[in-house]
Amino acid sequence: MAKLALEHLTKDFGNVRAVNDVSLEVEDGEFLVILGPSGAGKTTTLKLIAGVERPTSGMIYIGGKPMNAIEPHHRNVAMAFESYALYPHYNVRDNLSFPLKAPGRKFSQQEITRRVEEVAELLNIAPLLDRLPRMLSNGQKQRVALGRAMVREPDVLLLDEPISHLDAKLRHRMRTEFKALEAAIRATTIYVTHDYLEAMSLADRLVVLKEGTIQQSGGPHELFVNPANVFVAQLLGHPQINLVECTLQRTNGALQLVSTDGAIKLEVPERLRGALENAGIDQVIAGIRPQHLGVVDDHRPASNVFTGTVYVYERLGTKGTLTATVGAHRLDVLTSIEESFAIDEPVSLTIDPAQLSLFDAKTHKNILFN
Ligand code: ATP
């Protein structure tokens, strides 16, 4: 294990900037998740750390030592990819010991046996050591692939979308498995994914990447509650956060946000007043999470209540998702599974204003981050 540090790391492929001025520290033994859409620069970042790509500029340190001039096989970094890439004719034991027998690695047979058995024990695959890969479930194959990276006892373990190719049901199960495995992985680990649920459930700390640039880093809940910008707000959460463009209006000292079509009026919560005044802007985007909207029976106009009609209602497992048309907006609302709505039925929605996020309409930055 060792601390990993990236300093102003940049990688250009011709005129494409894949990684843009990324600075990041991953503590000794930390499990960090990088989340970003396709093309965000996630894989390139891992390849730079592993040494299979050279940075255009910036520095990489492992355990305080600069790595830029160090060849990949001297970095003590292991990378596991999306495919398990197990050797089909080797049993689990041989698949696990393979990385220790590569040319240039001089491990005694005793040391190889010790490491293989220790990793197999940690990952709960000891009873499978004599099986061929085709005799394993996908979950077990995943553990063997991970074991093969861990057996080298790397300082840094890089996991590139390790479960993204599995179907949704298996992915859900593997997510829980990985959560349990985190304690067994002793290396400083970076786990890359484009799946927000995976990121939210696995991360101690989450880094959101867009077009090669870090958007925000922090605890998953912190990013969900206080996203630094509209991009992070939209990336985390399903259904996605509702975004309503509003103008700030002042009446008799009271501050109100009014949507551009006038259909939605929101009081500015106490907690955001100061930041909004400081920002000195009157065009904002209000971010309202579907779980912070509720349906009320009373259709009379009131503050923080707005009326519309039901566009569609879906029951999904343990929750319902109501999409309502309010003026020119379509708002998603999470409801309890017991509720029921008919298309075009009038509906009144209420919001707890304390849960609002407000973004500068021009820069898309959270006003709390200015
Ligand atoms: P995905 O989730 O689709 O794997 P990613 O976030 O891992 O995406 P990267 O694979 O790091 O993204 O790619 C970042 C950008 O760099 C993309 O625009 C990609 O097309 C470009 N890129 C990556 N590798 C190369 C290469 N070898 N040559 C040219 N462009 C590249």
Side-chain angles (χ1 to χ4, degrees):
M1 280 200 300
K3 179 173 165 169
L4 168 73
L6 310 180
E7 276 183 8
H8 301 290
L9 201 61
T10 293
K11 175 67 182 176
D12 293 335
F13 293 106
N15 54 12
V16 174
R17 178 148 292 186
V19 176
N20 182 24
D21 196 26
V22 164
S23 292
L24 183 65
E25 287 190 353
V26 194
E27 294 303 326
D28 209 355
E30 188 182 352
F31 191 100
L32 179 95
V33 176
I34 299 183
L35 172 70
S38 184
K42 305 181 296 295
T43 301
T44 307
T45 304
L46 296 191
K47 285 182 173 170
L48 291 168
I49 297 166
V52 293
E53 292 285 359
R54 299 248 165 216
T56 305
S57 59
M59 292 297 295
I60 299 159
Y61 298 91
I62 296 177
K65 293 192 195 98
M67 285 291 129
N68 294 46
I70 309 281
E71 289 300 319
H73 56 278
H74 287 135
R75 289 193 185 192
N76 207 17
V77 173
M79 193 157 167
F81 296 93
E82 178 176 335
S83 72
Y84 313 123
L86 300 178
Y87 298 103
H89 305 298
Y90 287 180
N91 64 18
V92 170
R93 186 188 308 277
D94 292 339
N95 264 289
L96 288 175
S97 49
F98 191 83
L100 303 177
K101 293 176 176 168
R105 299 219 165 92
K106 296 187 182 69
F107 293 103
S108 67
Q109 189 51 50
Q110 203 182 7
E111 176 65 7
I112 292 173
T113 307
R114 180 194 70 77
R115 287 194 184 200
V116 167
E117 285 178 0
E118 190 180 297
V119 160
E121 201 60 49
L122 277 175
L123 297 180
N124 225 348
I125 48 175
L128 311 175
L129 284 173
D130 295 318
R131 289 202 201 169
L132 291 173
R134 68 180 156 77
M135 299 156 80
L136 302 175
S137 72
N138 280 340
Q140 291 165 336
K141 280 185 203 162
Q142 184 63 57
R143 282 168 180 255
V144 178
L146 182 63
R148 211 166 48 166
M150 284 167 66
V151 83
R152 285 174 48 196
E153 298 182 359
D155 289 326
V156 176
L157 179 61
L158 307 173
L159 302 170
D160 194 358
E161 309 239 15
I163 59 175
S164 66
H165 60 302
L166 304 175
D167 65 49
K169 212 166 147 194
L170 191 56
R171 220 166 48 226
H172 178 77
R173 212 189 71 212
M174 286 307 298
R175 217 166 58 217
T176 359
E177 287 221 1
F178 246 103
K179 187 80 201 154
L181 286 178
E182 266 186 56
I185 299 174
R186 295 201 200 113
T188 304
T189 305
I190 300 187
Y191 183 110
V192 152
T193 181
H194 66 269
D195 181 319
Y196 106 91
L197 275 179
E198 223 171 286
M200 295 290 281
S201 74
L202 291 175
D204 293 339
R205 190 157 63 98
L206 185 58
V207 170
V208 174
L209 207 58
K210 177 196 176 196
E211 293 166 8
T213 308
I214 293 182
Q215 303 294 302
Q216 192 174 7
S217 79
H221 184 67
E222 182 190 338
L223 268 58
F224 185 81
V225 175
N226 272 323
N229 56 37
V230 168
F231 178 83
V232 176
Q234 285 185 299
L235 195 65
L236 303 180
H238 183 81
Q240 273 193 354
I241 194 167
N242 297 293
L243 298 172
V244 178
E245 201 155 339
C246 296
T247 305
L248 183 64
Q249 293 187 353
R250 288 178 177 83
T251 0
N252 304 330
L255 286 181
Q256 205 177 34
L257 296 166
V258 182
S259 64
T260 37
D261 62 352
I264 298 173
K265 294 192 172 82
L266 305 163
E267 279 168 26
V268 175
E270 201 51 47
R271 138 188 116 84
L272 298 177
R273 249 164 198 271
L276 195 54
E277 298 279 18
N278 284 344
I281 49 169
D282 55 13
Q283 289 301 115
V284 299
I285 297 171
I288 311 167
R289 294 255 177 228
Q291 43 276 71
H292 299 146
L293 281 170
V295 178
V296 283
D297 292 332
D298 196 340
H299 295 313
R300 279 171 303 182
S303 131
N304 292 316
V305 173
F306 24 94
T307 53
T309 53
V310 172
Y311 179 68
V312 68
Y313 181 64
E314 284 181 301
R315 281 201 176 95
L316 297 169
T318 55
K319 286 275 173 197
T321 305
L322 165 72
T323 306
T325 309
V326 179
H329 306 276
R330 288 263 154 77
L331 300 179
D332 286 330
V333 185
L334 273 185
T335 72
S336 80
I337 197 74
E338 285 80 30
E339 293 178 79
S340 159
F341 301 91
I343 290 176
D344 291 337
E345 174 188 342
V347 69
S348 291
L349 304 179
T350 182
I351 178 184
D352 173 4
Q355 307 285 358
L356 273 181
S357 291
L358 296 181
F359 306 96
D360 183 324
K362 277 206 192 87
T363 63
H364 285 196
K365 273 195 192 157
N366 191 324
I367 58 159
L368 294 174
F369 287 68
N370 273 331

Coordinates of all heavy atoms in Angstrom, one line a residue, residues 13 16 18 37-44 161, ligand 1:
F13 N -4.3 13.6 -26.7 CA -4.1 12.7 -27.9 C -4.4 13.6 -29.1 O -5.5 13.9 -29.4 CB -5.2 11.5 -27.9 CG -5.0 10.5 -26.8 CD1 -5.8 10.5 -25.7 CD2 -3.9 9.6 -26.8 CE1 -5.7 9.6 -24.7 CE2 -3.8 8.7 -25.8 CZ -4.7 8.7 -24.7
V16 N -7.2 16.2 -28.9 CA -8.2 15.8 -27.9 C -7.5 15.8 -26.5 O -6.5 15.1 -26.3 CB -8.7 14.3 -28.2 CG1 -9.6 13.9 -27.0 CG2 -9.5 14.3 -29.5
A18 N -7.7 14.4 -23.2 CA -8.4 13.3 -22.5 C -8.4 13.5 -21.0 O -9.4 13.2 -20.3 CB -7.8 12.0 -22.8
P37 N -19.2 10.1 -17.4 CA -19.8 9.5 -18.6 C -18.7 9.0 -19.5 O -17.5 9.2 -19.3 CB -20.6 10.6 -19.2 CG -19.9 11.8 -18.7 CD -19.3 11.5 -17.4
S38 N -19.1 8.3 -20.6 CA -18.2 7.8 -21.6 C -17.4 8.9 -22.1 O -17.9 10.0 -22.4 CB -19.0 7.1 -22.7 OG -18.2 6.6 -23.6
G39 N -16.1 8.7 -22.3 CA -15.2 9.7 -22.9 C -14.7 10.8 -21.8 O -14.1 11.7 -22.2
A40 N -15.0 10.6 -20.6 CA -14.7 11.6 -19.5 C -13.2 11.5 -19.2 O -12.6 12.5 -18.6 CB -15.5 11.3 -18.3
G41 N -12.5 10.5 -19.6 CA -11.0 10.4 -19.4 C -10.7 9.4 -18.2 O -9.6 9.5 -17.7
K42 N -11.6 8.6 -17.8 CA -11.4 7.7 -16.7 C -10.3 6.7 -17.0 O -9.4 6.5 -16.2 CB -12.8 7.0 -16.4 CG -13.9 7.9 -16.1 CD -15.2 7.2 -15.7 CE -15.8 6.2 -16.8 NZ -16.3 6.9 -18.0
T43 N -10.5 5.9 -18.1 CA -9.5 4.9 -18.5 C -8.1 5.5 -18.7 O -7.1 5.0 -18.3 CB -10.0 4.1 -19.7 OG1 -11.3 3.5 -19.4 CG2 -9.0 3.0 -20.1
T44 N -8.1 6.7 -19.4 CA -6.8 7.3 -19.6 C -6.1 7.7 -18.3 O -4.9 7.5 -18.2 CB -7.0 8.6 -20.5 OG1 -7.7 8.2 -21.7 CG2 -5.7 9.2 -20.9
E161 N -14.1 -0.3 -14.6 CA -15.5 -0.8 -14.8 C -15.6 -2.3 -14.7 O -16.0 -3.0 -15.6 CB -15.9 -0.4 -16.3 CG -15.7 1.1 -16.5 CD -17.0 1.8 -16.9 OE1 -18.1 1.2 -16.7 OE2 -16.9 2.9 -17.4
Ligands
ATP1 P1 -15.4 5.0 -21.4 O1 -16.3 5.0 -20.2 O2 -16.2 5.1 -22.7 O3 -14.4 4.0 -21.4 P2 -13.5 7.0 -20.5 O4 -14.0 8.0 -19.5 O5 -12.7 5.9 -19.9 O6 -14.7 6.5 -21.4 P3 -11.2 7.6 -22.1 O7 -11.2 6.2 -22.7 O8 -10.2 7.9 -21.1 O9 -12.6 7.9 -21.5 O10 -11.1 8.6 -23.3 C1 -11.1 10.0 -23.0 C2 -11.0 10.7 -24.4 O11 -9.7 10.5 -25.0 C3 -12.0 10.3 -25.4 O12 -12.4 11.4 -26.1 C4 -11.3 9.3 -26.3 O13 -11.8 9.3 -27.6 C5 -9.9 9.9 -26.2 N1 -8.8 8.8 -26.4 C6 -8.6 7.8 -25.5 N2 -7.6 7.1 -25.9 C7 -7.1 7.6 -27.1 C8 -6.1 7.2 -28.1 N3 -5.3 6.2 -27.9 N4 -6.0 8.0 -29.2 C9 -6.8 9.1 -29.4 N5 -7.8 9.4 -28.5 C10 -8.0 8.7 -27.4

